Amino acid sequence: MSAAPTSTTAALPTSEQHGIKAHSDGRFGFVPVQTRNDRFKSVDVADFAPVTGREAVWKLSPVAKFTDLTAGELDGAAYDVDSTPTDGVAIDWVGRDDARIGSVGAPEEQAAANAWTSFEKALAITVTGEEDKEITITRARLGTGPRGAHTIIEARPFSRATIILENTGDARLTENLEIIVGESAHLTVVTLQEWNTGAVQLANHFASVGRDAYLKHVVVSLGGSIVRVNPSVRLAGPGSDTDLYGLYFADAGQHLEQQVYVHHDAANSRSRVTYKGALQGAGARTVWIGDVLIGRNAPGTDSYEQNRNLVLTEGTRADSIPNLEIETGDIKGAGHASATGRFDDEQLFYLQSRGITEDEARRLVVRGFLSEIVQHIGSQPLEDRLQAAIEAELRSTDEVRAPATTKEN
Amino acid sequence: MSVLEIKDLHVSVETDQGTKQILKGVNLTINEGEIHAIMGPNGSGKSTLAYTIAGHPKYHADSGSILLDGEEVLTMTVDQRARAGLFLAMQYPVEIPGVTVTNFLRTAKTAIDGEAPAIRSWIKDVRQSMTNLRMDKSFAERNVNEGFSGGEKKRNEILQLELLKPKFAILDETDSGLDVDALKIVSEGVNRAKANTGLGILLITHYTRILRYIEPDFVHVFVNGRIAEQGGPELADRLEDEGYDRFLVDSNVG
């Protein structure tokens, strides 16, 4: 509180009494970040204030459960990676001085910056050659100690590939992934989270899509305790194109989060964001935040984002927040949609009226709901595997709905 | 021989304004192989009758009964009714995203028969029925009703009628929204199903148009939640000429 007025003779109200001075909360004149692209960025963890949980980027996350990752010391050493050698895909560990590091994005929060500050070597996946190829790269032995990591995926101009990043086992991981899609390249990146029950992963993906290039990015989160995968894609070249898909299935006590950001930064760029999730069991929690920014230099943009959540039991919570910023009026289209709901009773009635039991009808509806994402992945073996994983999740739904006397683990 | 009997059926529905009585004592007996047309003005309770027979949770049967070969239908779940031999072709079939027609048909057939159909003859049956209904092969791989036109949805309903082979089918305004070509195709499908399996049909319609292609044995006029008049096919002709005004005046006065 500032000093009281010194003059007591005037009966007229003073400016202080009118409140046109700074408020005592110290935020007078404070202007929040006006556009998604103006958020503070730094690769140095020391530049970030301690996480309170009130920050825009953290406010829906259980921040108290991973303070070791946001502010603690991290193991930044190289780790075991399994893959089958594939022509046209080179996998190397590179030093911090690799020119590609930092060429696409920079952390906007402390955990990402902590990973960036801590990593010793970056895993670099370099794609060359115009023929289609598919590779699965598996991390299965990250262990339970807090770890920071950095990955680069570079698709050279005109190259084509599908990269499946498979994550299993234990983890306490904060990491950054930079994806560089060169001119006219055609890249699919699938990140599959099938961690053990207690695992925590905080991932930030930064992608830059070049002229006439295409990126399909798929996030599938099924296993783990807290899994946060935040992809940012900048459509950097004219005619660049991206499809961002997400599929998540949160069980009791699981927190699955994704903050998606698409920045249209060039003419005639196209984006589609489609995330679908199912929730079951007490404390199952999902968060989806979808930001789209259509920049001033992105005339002819065609953009649409949507999130759908299917709530299977009581006691779950799904947050779904679509945001759209448009800085140019000269666009083809921009829209967003979000819906979170229970089963559609009319769908169940329709299926049951054809003789299908209620349980089977529910399974059909959920399977169908999530299949829409699976069908777009474009790798038959992976699609088959994911359908099986969804079946397994659904079988556990039946257990939640009608608890069995014996429980397997 | 199968018989579907509706006895003194009273049905209400919950609305924002409270409970609303819709069916006020319906009596109707349909034998296997018979076609009964139920005609009536909007709001008379025709669709309520259809959905009550199928077991839609929105409709509460307050009294009366529906018997299928002597078995009480009202205490059965929706899927039990279907497995017992009842089929409802809906006026507004819903979309089931991500579930293909092929998958849906096989799942339903397996549920109705209690065992999976023999794969080779099943595929042949599905193809044949689709060809008969002038449905393109690509329908099989599309998601159920997703992006279907009005006519395609109705054909998809009749496809299920032909393949699931119920004892009794209720067709709820199957003719609405169909152009004359689609109406003919759909009607042929219904007649074919009846010729093949001898099912009984309850044909609910607002207009007499479909009765030119599916000839009813009996016509019932539905007004204000009960059957106001019944007769043979000639009653439909009379309705064609006179409309429903006669009944509406009666009910208003009564």
Side-chain angles (χ1 to χ4, degrees):
Chain A
M1 194 71 197
S2 58
T6 46
S7 165
T8 53
T9 52
L12 289 170
T14 64
S15 62
E16 275 115 353
Q17 285 167 324
H18 267 279
I20 55 174
K21 56 158 192 156
H23 282 283
S24 57
D25 66 2
R27 304 285 274 183
F28 193 73
F30 171 78
V31 179
V33 172
Q34 292 297 296
T35 169
R36 180 64 169 80
N37 211 36
D38 287 348
R39 283 192 189 167
F40 176 76
K41 296 182 183 71
S42 171
V43 298
D44 186 353
V45 66
D47 290 343
F48 288 87
V51 172
T52 63
R54 290 190 296 275
E55 300 85 351
V57 58
W58 290 119
K59 64 182 179 186
L60 299 171
S61 309
V63 294
K65 292 186 179 167
F66 46 74
T67 51
D68 54 337
L69 297 177
T70 49
E73 194 168 319
L74 303 172
D75 175 0
Y79 47 82
D80 289 344
V81 172
D82 306 319
S83 65
T84 310
T86 304
D87 284 344
V89 181
I91 300 176
D92 312 286
W93 287 96
V94 299
R96 293 179 61 92
D97 57 351
D98 189 286
R100 293 171 293 185
I101 293 173
S103 67
V104 181
E108 295 177 0
E109 36 85 351
Q110 198 188 24
N114 200 17
W116 203 297
T117 303
S118 307
F119 78 91
E120 292 163 16
K121 296 260 183 194
L123 181 68
I125 302 159
T126 309
V127 177
T128 52
E130 295 189 30
E131 69 291 345
D132 273 317
K133 52 214 160 276
E134 179 177 317
I135 185 170
T136 301
I137 299 167
T138 306
R139 298 187 291 191
R141 294 178 295 279
L142 291 183
T144 52
R147 191 182 275 279
H150 197 100
T151 308
I152 300 161
I153 299 176
E154 183 193 8
R156 295 271 170 83
F158 297 98
S159 67
R160 299 174 73 91
T162 296
I163 312 278
I164 299 165
L165 305 171
E166 187 182 55
N167 296 297
T168 61
D170 295 321
R172 285 195 78 80
L173 173 68
T174 171
E175 63 172 338
N176 296 291
L177 168 64
E178 294 185 84
I179 303 171
I180 305 155
V181 190
E183 277 188 27
S184 293
H186 192 285
L187 179 70
T188 298
V189 174
V190 181
T191 177
L192 176 55
Q193 287 66 243
E194 290 188 300
W195 300 110
N196 281 355
T197 309
V200 177
Q201 178 194 21
L202 308 174
N204 283 277
H205 294 189
F206 305 96
S208 171
V209 186
R211 182 189 189 98
D212 296 328
Y214 174 70
L215 171 67
K216 184 192 289 183
H217 184 273
V218 187
V219 178
V220 180
S221 294
L222 300 173
S225 166
I226 300 166
V227 178
R228 207 175 106 119
V229 179
N230 296 350
S232 295
V233 176
R234 188 167 77 98
L235 293 166
S240 53
D241 186 359
T242 190
D243 283 301
L244 305 177
Y245 293 107
L247 162 61
Y248 46 95
F249 200 125
D251 296 313
Q254 241 182 342
H255 177 102
L256 304 178
E257 176 166 352
Q258 31 266 313
Q259 299 187 15
V260 186
Y261 172 39
V262 177
H263 181 186
H264 286 264
D265 203 15
N268 301 313
S269 51
R270 175 195 166 275
S271 71
R272 290 290 181 276
V273 178
T274 312
Y275 273 64
K276 291 184 122 182
L279 300 88
Q280 68 176 4
R285 174 81 191 273
T286 65
V287 176
W288 179 84
I289 301 175
D291 296 336
V292 173
L293 169 61
I294 300 172
R296 236 176 295 280
N297 49 342
T301 284
D302 179 3
S303 163
Y304 196 81
E305 58 167 351
Q306 61 169 325
N307 176 224
R308 297 269 184 274
N309 296 298
L310 190 54
V311 174
L312 305 181
T313 65
E314 301 283 313
T316 67
R317 174 173 163 179
D319 289 88
S320 179
I321 307 169
N323 298 304
L324 178 57
E325 275 181 81
I326 306 181
E327 293 179 343
T328 175
D330 180 18
I331 60 170
K332 267 203 205 120
H336 60 208
S338 162
T340 297
R342 293 179 57 255
F343 276 106
D344 181 337
D345 289 337
E346 295 302 322
Q347 288 180 348
L348 290 182
F349 174 71
Y350 188 78
L351 293 169
Q352 284 184 264
S353 79
R354 300 311 185 235
I356 299 166
T357 61
E358 188 179 344
D359 281 348
E360 176 77 9
R362 283 175 186 276
R363 271 198 293 274
L364 265 181
V365 170
V366 183
R367 202 189 288 140
F369 175 79
L370 296 176
S371 285
E372 197 194 329
I373 301 296
V374 178
Q375 286 165 356
H376 282 109
I377 290 176
S379 159
Q380 196 58 48
L382 182 58
E383 288 179 17
D384 293 345
R385 226 190 90 196
L386 288 177
Q387 294 288 15
I390 291 169
E391 290 300 316
E393 296 273 1
L394 287 171
R395 277 195 295 278
S396 67
T397 311
D398 290 346
E399 284 167 26
V400 171
R401 283 167 40 77
T405 45
T406 55
K407 191 151 169 75
E408 290 171 41
N409 246 327
Chain B
M1 192 176 88
S2 282
V3 56
L4 181 66
E5 297 167 277
I6 299 164
K7 293 181 172 173
D8 195 28
L9 185 65
H10 289 72
V11 173
S12 60
V13 59
E14 296 297 328
T15 70
D16 294 340
Q17 287 81 40
T19 305
K20 191 173 175 223
Q21 268 244 311
I22 300 186
L23 299 189
K24 301 165 183 171
V26 177
N27 290 289
L28 187 62
T29 298
I30 305 169
N31 291 303
E32 196 181 312
E34 293 176 353
I35 298 179
H36 292 244
I38 293 203
M39 307 192 60
N42 291 328
S44 58
K46 306 186 300 287
S47 286
T48 296
L49 178 63
Y51 279 91
T52 304
I53 296 171
H56 194 287
K58 190 176 144 193
Y59 301 95
H60 306 290
D62 300 317
S63 63
S65 69
I66 301 174
L67 301 174
L68 174 59
D69 296 333
E71 295 274 333
E72 180 57 74
V73 167
L74 289 173
T75 54
M76 296 183 193
T77 61
V78 176
D79 47 303
Q80 283 169 344
R81 296 176 196 211
R83 292 197 295 274
L86 297 177
F87 180 90
L88 170 62
M90 299 194 197
Q91 187 178 2
Y92 304 110
V94 296
E95 298 179 359
I96 317 279
V99 179
T100 62
V101 169
T102 301
N103 181 14
F104 167 64
L105 290 174
R106 196 180 340 103
T107 307
K109 185 67 177 171
T110 304
I112 298 270
D113 290 2
E115 59 178 356
I119 193 86
R120 202 169 289 172
S121 60
W122 172 245
I123 290 172
K124 204 170 127 248
D125 290 351
V126 173
R127 284 212 184 118
Q128 185 60 51
S129 296
M130 287 180 68
T131 306
N132 290 342
L133 289 163
R134 323 277 204 284
M135 294 172 80
D136 189 83
K137 269 190 210 141
S138 64
F139 268 91
E141 293 314 314
R142 286 171 68 182
N143 293 331
V144 176
N145 293 323
E146 202 175 63
F148 285 25
S149 70
E152 288 167 348
K153 284 182 183 173
K154 297 298 172 71
R155 275 187 254 180
N156 190 37
E157 294 293 285
I158 303 307
L159 175 67
Q160 296 166 50
L161 170 67
E162 285 201 58
L163 292 168
L164 300 180
K165 302 188 184 349
K167 292 177 186 162
F168 291 95
I170 302 123
L171 311 182
D172 186 19
E173 310 227 4
T174 295
D175 52 332
S176 67
L178 294 184
D179 62 34
V180 67
D181 293 326
L183 182 62
K184 278 184 192 167
I185 291 168
V186 161
S187 301
E188 280 169 23
V190 174
N191 291 329
R192 203 163 42 237
K194 180 169 175 262
N196 288 337
T197 66
L199 81 166
I201 293 169
L202 189 59
L203 181 68
I204 292 173
T205 179
H206 186 82
Y207 305 104
T208 54
R209 195 170 67 126
I210 194 172
L211 304 182
R212 291 204 286 269
Y213 306 103
I214 302 175
E215 200 185 327
D217 301 301
F218 304 93
V219 174
H220 311 267
V221 181
F222 223 67
V223 180
N224 194 21
R226 55 169 74 90
I227 291 168
E229 188 169 336
Q230 43 198 346
E234 73 287 347
L235 182 54
D237 297 333
R238 206 178 146 197
L239 287 170
E240 172 92 41
D241 298 336
E242 299 175 7
Y244 296 114
D245 284 355
R246 176 162 65 94
F247 299 102
L248 292 173
V249 169
D250 282 356
S251 70
N252 285 347
V253 171

